[in-house]
Amino acid sequence: MSVRIADTTAGAVGTIAIDLAAVASNWRALAAKVRPASCGAVIKADAYGVGAERVIPTLVEAGCGTFFIATPDEAEETRRLAPAAAIYALDGVAGAADLYARTQIWPVLSTPDEIESWSRSASALGRRLPAALHIDTGLNRLGLPVRETRRLAGDPSALAAIDLALLISHLACADNPRDPKNRDQLVAFETLSALFPGVPRSLAASDGLMLGPDYCFDLVRPGYALYGGQASETSPAPVRPALVVRARILAVADVTPGETVGYAATWRAKRPTRIATIAAGYADGVPRHASAPDGRPGGHVVIAGALAPIVGRVSMDLITVDVTDLPADLVRPGQFATLIGDGLTLEDVGRVSGTIGYEILTRLGRRFERVYVQDGV
Ligand SMILES: *Cc1c(COP(=O)(O)O)cnc(C)c1O
């Protein structure tokens, strides 16, 4: 995918070019893969930083009818952009019962207190309110513990005011298909969800849906894979990268052997070296650990199709890369370096920085201009 840089705002450090056609086709490919289960979309955190404003209508248009947000501040926008969709709030009621009842967004309930509180809201309105129930099957994060789940199933009056629309649980180790915990959680989910017969079920996110049809139940909940992220370590999802991140080259300069580059003088030139300084730093989401002064392999950028290693410390607004081996005429101030894309995946960037592609994606800063393109225009 290429983007017309001429279209970008002069003031931005660079661009995130988002291919909405790729997002749509990724969703369709996942939906086809999991059929007869249906495919929702997790669009929390401003659609993973990609921009809910554009991503949600794209997914609605592609046929997605179920969305998951995390927090109340995501409610109004999601309802406005997906007026007819089922929308669930993963963080539960979160003090926003009135907002959720008004916008018809259904909390994913995780505690007896929340069940009570949502029931009170329903009673106050004089009608039953839909909700999802999160059952904890071993992640020990959110979710009703096993004992509480059994108690709830044995006491139908506790759910009298609630229209139970969905049962969910979340997998801890689905990125590794060989981890035995996957099957343990599957069995626990089957057993516990059977206590609520007839209620639709959802277990898998981007990685879980690659574990096979047993894990897909009625609905899957991918987020990361919609943008081309590969959540599973060994089972590639049928998706393609949907974004390219580029930043401006501000300066190109030569340093002589023995000179150092960057804060704390951690990197020293061993040969005559040409350094390109690029207008993105940790304030823009380039991890500080992407530089490798201690000799371990560090991060790269792509300039004119070639890899250039990040050298010296990543600073707040800038990175410095070694472009000595690139043709000089291809590396000039005003040109753009690719930080993600052109062969560098989110996973690559996460790995060299000691993190995961999810963190890289969701922390891309506001100083990048988001540019929306259709099919690589
Ligand atoms: C964030 C989240 C998802 C989506 O996960 P991906 O790995 O991005 O597909 C699904 N379910 C729950 C409960 C989540 O918190």
Side-chain angles (χ1 to χ4, degrees), residues 42 44 48 68 90-91 134 139 141 168-170 203-207 209 221-226 231 358:
V42 180
K44 60 194 178 189
Y48 289 49
F68 292 86
L90 290 166
D91 283 4
H134 190 160
L139 184 60
R141 198 177 63 171
I168 82 160
S169 191
H170 199 44
L203 178 63
S206 295
D207 46 7
L209 66 86
R221 313 185 301 269
Y224 187 52
L226 299 173
Y358 285 76

Side-chain angles (χ1 to χ4, degrees), residues 4 27 40 89 101 125 137 151 183 270 327:
R4 287 167 299 178
W27 182 84
L125 289 169
T137 53
R151 184 180 306 160
R183 189 137 287 272
K270 295 193 178 71

Side-chain angles (χ1 to χ4, degrees), residues 258-338:
E259 282 189 89
T260 64
V261 172
Y263 284 131
T266 54
W267 188 88
R268 189 176 296 274
K270 295 193 178 71
R271 57 173 181 168
T273 302
R274 178 161 297 153
I275 297 289
T277 300
I278 296 169
Y282 58 75
D284 305 296
V286 178
R288 198 160 168 281
H289 284 97
S291 62
D294 56 4
R296 88 189 141 79
H300 291 82
V301 303
V302 177
I303 299 173
L307 284 173
I310 298 174
V311 297
R313 290 245 164 111
V314 172
S315 47
M316 188 185 297
D317 315 310
L318 302 168
I319 50 176
T320 37
V321 303
D322 181 346
V323 293
T324 314
D325 298 328
L326 275 58
D329 58 323
L330 294 181
V331 188
R332 293 194 186 286
Q335 290 172 334
F336 280 69
T338 302

Side-chain angles (χ1 to χ4, degrees), residues 8-13 248 369:
T8 66
T9 309
V13 303
R248 285 170 206 283
E369 187 189 5

